[in-house]
Amino acid sequence: MFNAEKFVEESIYKLKNTIKGKALIAFSGGVDSTVTATLVNKAIRDKLIAVHVDTGYMRKNESQQVETLMKKLGLNYHIIDASKEYYDSLINIVDPEEKRKIIGEKFIRIFEKVAQKEEVDFLIQGTIAPDWIESGDGLRDTIKSHHNVGGLPKEMKLKIVEPLRDLYKDEVREVARTLKLSVAERQPFPGPGLAIRIIGAATKDRVEIVREACFIVETEIDAAVSKGKMTRPWQYFAVLIPIKTVGVHGDKRAYGYTIAIRAVESIDAMTCSYSNIPHEVLDRISIQITNSLGEKINRIVYDITHKPPGTVEWE
Ligand code: XMP
């Protein structure tokens, strides 16, 4: 049986003994990186530097919220806006694995620069068990190269520390509750961000569409949860399918993209089933998205695929 308090105590002790020098962490503001940063911060205080990279594939207002959280946690931090660089490097990239590798690699390069400037020796990562299991550990097939591990070049000079490596998400949440972190119940958000919620090329125009659609899905589901109409799914978001279909907008022919809504129930993300969302909530989401995105979107579908055979994210 997992004991979160004991885990916290033992981790801080181990981290104090392992990290001799300055360390860097990528801080996304999700449960994994927030728990990791909090543990390491307790162990080595301001020798930990948190870096938040705005890849341009973040959710609405996310980077501002992350900054508020880093301040609240008392972290020593930097924010780097790399959005243009990301958009430029992904403009023609269609293959999901190629996208993931480019995003991960770029992330590491940005980090290496900060690491050199700050003269750090350690790279702290919020990797949890499903991240490396599904990235292929030599025994299993590579399902997807998860961001945290996919981009790591073999010759990387920083020493890697992954305090949550053996934990599953439910255990990480338990640790977050023990540490009294406000993000304990936050839904997971993948490292490659909205780039893997756009099928094919993740261009700036398309990100703006999927960002708004994701915001609407989150807002409507959060509202329905707080009104007691449904329980909070494990994850809930929108995916942009840039295939055009014919519709009607006002009294004119429309020819726009499709949005898929994905909401799933899971315990550890290794398997999931699609959520049973009340039709009334789906209806509100559909109307909000088509009203807000006008002629760009004229079709909304609900994804009814379990994992397996699907995965949570579409790419
Ligand atoms: P899949 O799509 O593989 O997702 O069924 C399982 C869980 O992992 C999240 N996910 C990621 N998390 N880096 C991450 O940190 C990634 O590259 C990544 N890809 C997927 C996904 O949102 C789900 O919670």
Side-chain angles (χ1 to χ4, degrees):
M1 184 70 182
F2 178 69
N3 181 331
E5 272 170 33
K6 193 160 163 245
F7 176 82
V8 168
E9 209 178 291
E10 287 178 359
S11 295
I12 298 172
Y13 178 77
K14 267 194 235 156
L15 291 166
K16 271 186 186 157
N17 287 319
T18 314
I19 312 173
K20 302 286 178 203
K22 280 166 91 178
L24 202 62
I25 185 168
F27 191 87
S28 69
V31 191
D32 304 345
S33 67
T34 307
V35 168
T36 308
T38 306
L39 291 174
V40 178
N41 187 243
K42 283 185 189 294
I44 66 165
R45 295 292 161 195
D46 61 2
K47 278 194 282 170
L48 172 70
I49 301 159
V51 177
H52 174 71
V53 178
D54 180 356
T55 61
Y57 295 106
M58 313 303 292
R59 285 167 292 183
K60 201 165 173 176
N61 304 325
E62 191 156 18
S63 290
Q64 292 95 302
Q65 288 163 3
V66 168
E67 179 162 20
T68 308
L69 179 60
M70 290 194 290
K71 272 190 190 151
K72 197 174 151 207
L73 294 172
L75 297 175
N76 186 2
Y77 72 85
H78 295 293
I79 293 191
I80 297 169
D81 179 0
S83 47
K84 185 173 181 315
E85 207 185 303
Y86 270 91
Y87 294 147
D88 289 350
S89 66
L90 288 175
I91 201 156
N92 292 316
I93 310 296
V94 170
D95 179 74
E97 276 298 287
E98 218 181 316
K99 269 190 198 174
R100 283 174 170 274
K101 296 238 156 86
I102 291 173
I103 294 170
E105 178 97 33
K106 195 169 275 305
F107 218 84
I108 296 296
R109 293 289 164 240
I110 292 172
F111 264 67
E112 275 183 337
K113 265 194 213 152
V114 185
Q116 273 166 6
K117 204 168 141 232
E118 296 280 352
E119 298 183 333
V120 307
D121 300 309
F122 292 85
L123 179 66
I124 316 293
Q125 299 218 78
T127 315
I128 66 170
D131 296 341
W132 59 266
I133 292 172
E134 295 205 339
S135 290
D137 60 357
L139 299 171
R140 297 173 177 84
D141 193 22
T142 299
I143 297 167
K144 304 182 181 183
S145 301
H146 273 213
H147 173 40
N148 327 35
V149 271
L152 277 183
K154 295 225 165 26
E155 74 279 10
M156 235 193 63
K157 294 178 198 86
L158 299 174
K159 292 179 205 108
I160 298 185
V161 178
E162 297 175 318
L164 310 183
R165 198 180 157 78
D166 296 324
L167 266 53
Y168 285 84
K169 201 77 180 194
D170 52 332
E171 296 168 334
V172 181
R173 289 196 204 282
E174 239 182 282
V175 177
R177 282 180 217 118
T178 301
L179 293 168
K180 305 209 167 8
L181 296 173
S182 59
V183 297
E185 317 308 327
R186 259 198 116 190
Q187 64 162 320
F189 185 64
L194 298 177
I196 56 162
R197 292 181 178 172
I198 298 165
I199 308 312
T203 60
K204 190 165 182 268
D205 289 357
R206 291 176 179 182
V207 183
E208 277 157 16
I209 296 175
V210 81
R211 193 180 347 257
E212 187 59 25
C214 273
F215 177 72
I216 292 169
V217 172
E218 281 196 34
T219 309
E220 290 300 331
I221 290 186
D222 287 345
V225 169
S226 58
K227 284 182 195 145
K229 290 187 176 161
M230 60 182 284
T231 54
R232 189 181 304 283
W234 160 275
Q235 233 169 316
Y236 41 111
F237 55 89
V239 179
L240 174 64
I241 309 170
I243 288 180
K244 290 187 170 181
T245 67
V246 175
V248 54
H249 190 77
D251 55 2
K252 288 209 172 65
R253 179 186 195 269
Y255 192 46
Y257 291 151
T258 301
I259 286 284
I261 300 164
R262 178 91 167 128
V264 297
E265 308 301 326
S266 181
I267 292 172
D268 56 14
M270 300 292 287
T271 59
C272 78
S273 51
Y274 72 83
S275 304
N276 197 349
I277 299 190
H279 260 98
E280 175 197 344
V281 179
L282 287 173
D283 196 43
R284 281 189 61 91
I285 292 173
S286 169
I287 292 168
Q288 293 288 337
I289 292 178
T290 46
N291 277 353
S292 159
L293 290 160
E295 288 167 25
K296 292 177 193 149
I297 300 294
N298 56 356
R299 205 163 293 273
I300 314 282
V301 296
Y302 186 56
D303 181 354
I304 51 167
T305 323
H306 303 307
K307 172 184 181 175
T311 48
V312 176
E313 307 287 345
W314 277 38
E315 287 200 331

